[in-house]
Amino acid sequence: MKTYILLALALLCLSTACNQATENSERKELQEDTSTVAVTLYRIPSPIEMFSFLKTNDIPFSANVLNPIGNWQNYTDSKAQAINLGIYTTDLAYSAAYEQYQEAILYFDLVRKLGDKVGISAVFNQPLVSRIENNLNHSDSLLNISSQSYYQIINFLNENQRGPQVALIAAAGWLEAIYIVTQKVNLTTSDAETFQRIADQRLTIENLMPMLDQNKDNEDVASTIEDFRPVIDFFMNLKPSENKETSYQNTNETLSVTGGVTYTITKEQITELSALVADLRSKYVGVPITKKMN
Amino acid sequence: MNLKSIIFLLLSIVSPYYLTAQDYEFDDQSGNLEIKTREFTKISVIMYKDYEYKVSFMADEYVGKVHFKIREDNAGKKVLFDNSTASYSQEKKIKLENTTKLLIEVRIPEGLNKSEDAVNKGWVALLIEHRRK
């Protein structure tokens, strides 16, 4: 529904903008491009993409990899709250992707509670809450609402220039997704597609690092960078299996890109990664981090 | 009702069905951006090889069409697409052989839009969608 709304709004803008631009392009010539670069924004795919992938590859759901619901009251400082909001949002996405309605509603409720503590209660407005309550038996709606929760949290924080919290929530959400996939991947069958998806996280790390670095003046972010260091180093030490020059072709509608750098990962490396991620994740979900509230 | 209103009404009715037929899903790397006339805003995004993507820009009327480029996000930063060579098309589909990091650069072009003298910056929506290959 959100996409439709976006598209309708877009069309409103676009239909008028197209006419406007066409009229004007007829009477004005373009000037030479002398632009400089203002700012670079880093984006990473949401955890939902990972779980859609796992489900498509018939990797079963396990409730025992979720961060237990009862833990949420232990998160009393700003870092623990932001980090575990990211973790619970990912758990919500995992439950929704696998149509686990009961877990999804419980984790949505947790995300809302922690969201209040992080100061983003405006994201969870009554229409969103009503929609999830009314769509418990519709998997597509549940997945869309889960996606909206993640997107709306990140977008709300971005628009309110709360970069440190965006970085913490995105980093923790990604960590939880990697924790779940490394717990669930079947190392005995050499599932090539899942191995490749894990190796591809090297690129996500390349965007996650600058997201964190841009906010490292914040104490919580600075300590999170140090927490993540072993996982970051692991991915940055992956060797490319292929490094072909990128080639591309443009048709009217489509840009097709071939080549580029590809990373691979072995069973042994996944075992190593799994331990690193589980260790870090345990630190966040199981042990309250001692620091006073901001 | 003028022609612009009729076109918008028709597109608004047809678009959800068109979108559903295409099976594209919203990608969370989308977002609203404040862009400027003389400066490119760069957005680094990750696109998985299992998906086909569609990148679209929507801007306020006073901004008009935006100028965007898609580059490799590596040391070379090779330009893969520049919409100024495609009549400032506001949308591009992307297919990838491998999971790839791309840079999308966007700005308000000088000389293209009616009120460029008055517009130094404005808000645009970057809509990224994907579907499984």
Side-chain angles (χ1 to χ4, degrees), chain A residues 30-269:
Chain A
L30 289 173
Q31 295 172 12
E32 194 174 339
D33 175 5
T34 55
S35 298
T36 57
V37 174
V39 64
T40 303
L41 306 170
Y42 297 93
R43 301 288 164 90
I44 62 173
S46 85
I48 293 152
E49 311 306 328
M50 181 67 83
F51 302 133
S52 297
F53 171 84
L54 292 184
K55 192 180 176 201
T56 304
N57 285 276
D58 297 324
I59 295 177
F61 177 83
S62 291
N64 61 8
V65 297
L66 301 171
N67 183 14
I69 287 165
N71 282 352
W72 84 275
Q73 287 174 318
N74 296 331
Y75 308 134
T76 53
D77 63 85
S78 59
K79 177 178 174 180
Q81 287 169 348
I83 289 276
N84 282 284
L85 178 58
I87 287 173
Y88 279 133
T89 304
T90 295
D91 288 345
L92 165 62
Y94 182 48
S95 305
Y98 280 81
E99 302 166 32
Q100 302 294 311
Y101 306 115
Q102 194 59 40
E103 277 83 3
I105 193 71
L106 290 171
Y107 279 88
F108 179 77
D109 192 43
L110 278 183
V111 167
R112 196 161 46 133
K113 286 175 180 169
L114 266 182
D116 284 346
K117 291 186 179 295
V118 172
I120 56 167
S121 51
V123 171
F124 302 101
N125 50 24
Q126 192 54 44
L128 182 63
V129 174
S130 299
R131 278 212 304 283
I132 194 167
E133 288 171 349
N134 294 333
N135 286 284
L136 279 175
N137 294 316
H138 303 291
S139 60
D140 286 347
S141 299
L142 198 59
L143 194 57
N144 285 339
I145 290 165
S146 167
S147 173
Q148 283 183 40
S149 298
Y150 180 84
Y151 175 76
Q152 288 188 5
I153 289 169
I154 297 296
N155 211 38
F156 176 86
L157 291 170
N158 271 327
E159 288 182 2
N160 287 280
Q161 299 179 326
R162 290 164 65 177
Q165 285 176 312
V166 173
L168 292 174
I169 291 167
W174 175 82
L175 178 74
E176 181 74 347
I178 298 304
Y179 172 74
I180 291 171
V181 71
T182 53
Q183 292 295 310
K184 296 301 301 174
V185 64
N186 188 339
L187 294 175
T188 60
T189 58
S190 295
D191 175 356
E193 284 194 39
T194 308
F195 280 30
Q196 186 59 57
R197 180 56 70 104
I198 295 170
D200 288 343
Q201 301 309 306
R202 156 67 187 249
L203 300 180
T204 303
I205 280 286
E206 288 180 12
N207 273 13
L208 196 54
M209 282 195 304
M211 276 174 80
L212 290 163
D213 276 343
Q214 285 176 345
N215 296 286
K216 65 184 177 187
D217 289 344
N218 178 282
E219 186 183 342
D220 290 342
V221 175
S223 66
T224 301
I225 293 171
E226 290 314 305
D227 297 340
F228 268 71
R229 187 65 61 198
V231 177
I232 291 170
D233 289 346
F234 172 89
F235 278 106
M236 296 312 288
N237 286 327
L238 284 183
K239 304 291 181 213
S241 60
E242 281 187 6
N243 194 354
K244 293 181 191 168
E245 187 175 348
T246 303
S247 57
Y248 64 99
Q249 185 176 10
N250 277 295
T251 62
N252 281 346
E253 281 194 332
T254 306
L255 164 65
S256 300
V257 182
T258 56
V261 181
T262 307
Y263 294 92
T264 54
I265 193 165
T266 64
K267 287 180 192 175
E268 292 74 22
Q269 286 174 311

Side-chain angles (χ1 to χ4, degrees), chain B residues 15-16 26 39 43 56 58 63 66-67 74 79 83 88-92 95 97 103 106-108 113 117 126 133:
Chain B
S15 60
F26 182 79
E39 294 178 331
I43 309 103
S56 316
M58 284 84 45
V63 172
V66 299
H67 177 200
N74 58 18
V79 176
N83 79 332
Y88 286 89
S89 166
Q90 299 293 282
E91 153 181 325
K92 192 70 178 176
K95 292 180 180 175
E97 181 186 33
L103 261 187
V106 58
R107 66 169 191 135
I108 300 169
N113 301 310
D117 293 337
L126 164 61
K133 282 181 184 171

